[in-house]
Amino acid sequence: ILASTAFREGVACLAEQGLVLDIWAYHTQLAEIIDLARAFPQQLMVVNHVGGPLGCGPYAGRRAEVFEQWAEHILRLAQCPNLRIKLGGLGMQVGGFALDHEALPPGSAHLAELWAPYLLHCIDAFGSSRCMFESNFPVDKGMVGYGVLWNTFKRITADLPAHARADLFST
């Protein structure tokens, strides 16, 4: 879809209006975002949900392999200065963390352990000024409470400098 003529005509219209393009794609589609970002270097674009690392369907049980592929694409995405990334969305079922199958709702310490590698990799690649936290509610509500989610983000970023935390929490 991102390579289609009609879609790209729409992107050109956004650029003319000074609007931002938000894109949700799975890790298997991130090369398409890179191509689009390079084709429209003046168009500000935001990649949603940390670039959608999949953990279900054919990707279930392949977390290390998916992480490696995803992480390489994140580094390539970060090379496009017109791209930003939203940090969140990992509570969705497609991520494969199966938080809804646990006996009790997850706490922020548990989530920080699960999600820190993803969020910190994005922050390292993009820099804090090109990242922002997202709640993805109400979708994430089936996996995690709203307060727990934000406490997770606070735990993950506790060791970052104050200016970086300000970027991430207020962008």
Side-chain angles (χ1 to χ4, degrees):
I1 291 173
L2 299 182
S4 76
T5 300
F7 186 86
R8 288 179 178 228
E9 288 171 357
V11 173
C13 290
L14 290 176
E16 291 169 7
Q17 299 298 315
L19 299 173
V20 176
L21 174 62
D22 271 47
I23 304 171
W24 180 28
Y26 297 122
H27 79 276
T28 57
Q29 301 165 309
L30 295 179
E32 295 176 47
I33 296 176
I34 294 165
D35 183 60
L36 184 68
R38 289 180 178 157
F40 293 90
Q42 301 307 313
Q43 175 61 51
L44 185 60
M45 301 178 196
V46 179
V47 178
N48 293 324
H49 314 318
V50 299
L54 288 167
C56 64
Y59 302 99
R62 297 171 50 196
R63 186 162 311 283
E65 176 187 345
V66 167
F67 185 88
E68 185 177 320
Q69 293 169 2
W70 166 85
E72 179 58 35
H73 281 295
I74 291 298
L75 293 174
R76 289 179 55 217
L77 285 165
Q79 292 173 7
C80 299
N82 57 326
L83 289 179
R84 307 294 184 267
I85 194 161
K86 286 185 183 175
L87 307 176
L90 291 170
M92 293 185 286
Q93 288 185 336
V94 296
F97 288 103
L99 301 170
D100 56 333
H101 295 342
E102 295 184 7
L104 296 172
S108 60
H110 178 58
L111 291 177
E113 181 181 322
L114 292 175
W115 296 349
Y118 298 90
L119 302 182
L120 293 175
H121 182 66
C122 289
I123 295 165
D124 287 344
F126 280 84
S128 62
S129 65
R130 293 174 54 208
C131 298
M132 66 195 90
F133 284 119
E134 63 170 332
S135 71
N136 197 39
F137 264 69
V139 178
D140 282 350
K141 186 177 179 180
M143 301 286 181
V144 60
Y146 192 76
V148 170
L149 177 72
W150 288 98
N151 286 335
T152 299
F153 296 157
K154 291 175 190 174
R155 283 180 184 272
I156 291 171
T157 60
D159 293 333
L160 295 181
H163 72 86
R165 290 174 54 105
D167 287 344
L168 296 164
F169 285 96
S170 63
T171 299

